[in-house]
Amino acid sequence: MTIWTFGLTLFGALTMSWLAERLRLPTVVGQIGAGIILGPAGFHLLSANHSLATWAEVGVLLLMFLAGIESDLGLLKRHARQAVTVALAGVVTPFVVFLVLGLILGMTDEKSLFWAVLFSATSVSITAQILTEYHQVKSDAGATILGAAVLDDILAILMWTVYQTVFGIGEETQRPLWFTILLMVMFLLVLVVILLYVLPKILPAIGRLSLPGAVLTFALVIVLLSATLSEKIGLSGAIVAFVVGVLFSRQKSAAAIEHGVTLIGQTVFIPIFFVNIGLKVTLVGQLANLPLIAILTIFAILTKFFGAYFGARLVKVPVRDARVVGVGMVSRGEIAIVIADLALSAHALSSGHYAMLTLVILLTTIFTPIALKSLLRK
């Protein structure tokens, strides 16, 4: 990434964030808007290249780490039953509806199943940013959303793995499905054990070093390396970064680490992540697809909202909180984009179909923070 690209990206994010605040919109909407305006859908000044994508990936990892370290582990445990119920309802509802919708619209079984998998995902990072912005991470609804969204992402990744195996897509089909799932579980168990029992002994020693910011640097190393390793076995780095954040929240130096990561993340990497989402949007050749885009967007919003809402009500979540949970689960964001990217790379998805689905994902991503802000202010 050139200095010009870096500077223009941050300037666009800053300008549009300011404009979003003036319009009383969440800043994330402005940052995504900056990507749309500066990218292929706008003035073609930026593109979603590999270098920018790398910075954006670091951004989502830091965002999820912050969501984890700001979470209350006890609160997450107390809302585990609600989170599991919401996650299952929030996955099953869009999966069934989009599978049937695809078949009704004349799609093949393979394409219909792809829609079902794609729209079953939930973007935990988008919602995490809104919950953080409005200080709702430690609320009952916030804990339920974060727990459910993480579970949704895990389920979406597992479904994509099954989809790859069944239809022979990509390189991951060379690895047996049971072995992939076993690797994911073992990785998470080892990571949790290390961070629970080894980390408390290492951090104090690092804190005594004369090097400035040694503890913060060490925390960043843990986040980046653990996320990278998880990606190698097919587990989302964003999920792992959240888990690392939750476990770091138990440490005495958690407040200082959170302050440092917030300063680095919110000023550089996280805005780049949201701008990069906007850069993936293209309007070329999509005019003819507008009716289908509208239909998919409406179904994407309604299936997640009502699935999560009724799941929350099933476990006695108050109506107001259930609405917040329902809206908070709507965004598809980065997990859906990753699945679409993988399908495109494996030639399981045409470029035109990819552009259409990206637009739908973006519309759900923009809808969520706007609707969620309205609910949280009531």
Side-chain angles (χ1 to χ4, degrees), residues 358-372:
T358 303
L359 270 174
V360 177
I361 293 168
L362 176 73
L363 290 171
T364 66
T365 301
I366 292 176
F367 167 85
T368 300
I370 294 174
L372 196 57

Side-chain angles (χ1 to χ4, degrees), residues 263-294:
L263 188 62
I264 296 171
Q266 295 290 0
T267 55
V268 181
F269 292 99
I270 294 173
I272 290 177
F273 163 65
F274 288 119
V275 171
N276 194 60
I277 290 178
L279 292 178
K280 289 181 176 289
V281 176
T282 178
L283 302 178
V284 177
Q286 293 306 309
L287 187 60
N289 292 327
L290 285 181
L292 183 56
I293 290 170

Side-chain angles (χ1 to χ4, degrees), residues 134-320:
Y134 294 102
H135 310 290
Q136 295 292 317
V137 172
K138 295 184 179 180
S139 67
D140 291 338
T144 301
I145 290 171
L146 288 174
V150 167
L151 290 173
D152 263 19
D153 283 355
I154 292 174
L155 291 172
I157 290 165
L158 289 176
M159 286 191 294
W160 168 247
T161 303
V162 172
Y163 181 86
Q164 283 182 300
T165 303
V166 171
F167 292 103
I169 297 170
E171 299 177 359
E172 295 299 323
T173 55
Q174 303 302 317
R175 183 194 298 160
L177 178 61
W178 67 266
F179 186 64
T180 298
I181 295 174
L182 179 64
L183 281 178
M184 291 179 181
V185 173
M186 292 299 297
F187 178 84
L188 285 174
L189 287 176
V190 170
L191 181 65
V192 169
V193 169
I194 291 174
L195 293 182
L196 276 179
Y197 299 104
V198 179
L199 187 63
K201 298 177 181 178
I202 296 177
L203 274 186
I206 294 175
R208 289 192 291 269
L209 297 175
S210 59
L211 300 173
V215 173
L216 175 60
T217 302
F218 180 76
L220 292 173
V221 168
I222 295 296
V223 174
L224 297 178
L225 291 186
S226 59
T228 301
L229 289 174
S230 71
E231 296 281 358
K232 296 293 184 183
I233 61 173
L235 185 60
S236 168
I239 295 172
V240 170
F242 177 79
V243 172
V244 172
V246 170
L247 296 174
F248 260 89
S249 69
R250 300 163 55 92
Q251 308 305 316
K252 292 180 179 179
S253 54
I257 293 173
E258 179 187 340
H259 175 74
V261 174
T262 299
L263 188 62
I264 296 171
Q266 295 290 0
T267 55
V268 181
F269 292 99
I270 294 173
I272 290 177
F273 163 65
F274 288 119
V275 171
N276 194 60
I277 290 178
L279 292 178
K280 289 181 176 289
V281 176
T282 178
L283 302 178
V284 177
Q286 293 306 309
L287 187 60
N289 292 327
L290 285 181
L292 183 56
I293 290 170
I295 291 171
L296 292 178
T297 301
I298 291 169
F299 274 92
I301 292 172
L302 294 180
T303 52
K304 268 294 179 182
F305 173 78
F306 284 111
Y309 173 81
F310 287 118
R313 292 295 294 144
L314 189 65
V315 286
K316 311 294 191 227
V317 173
V319 173
R320 188 262 181 188

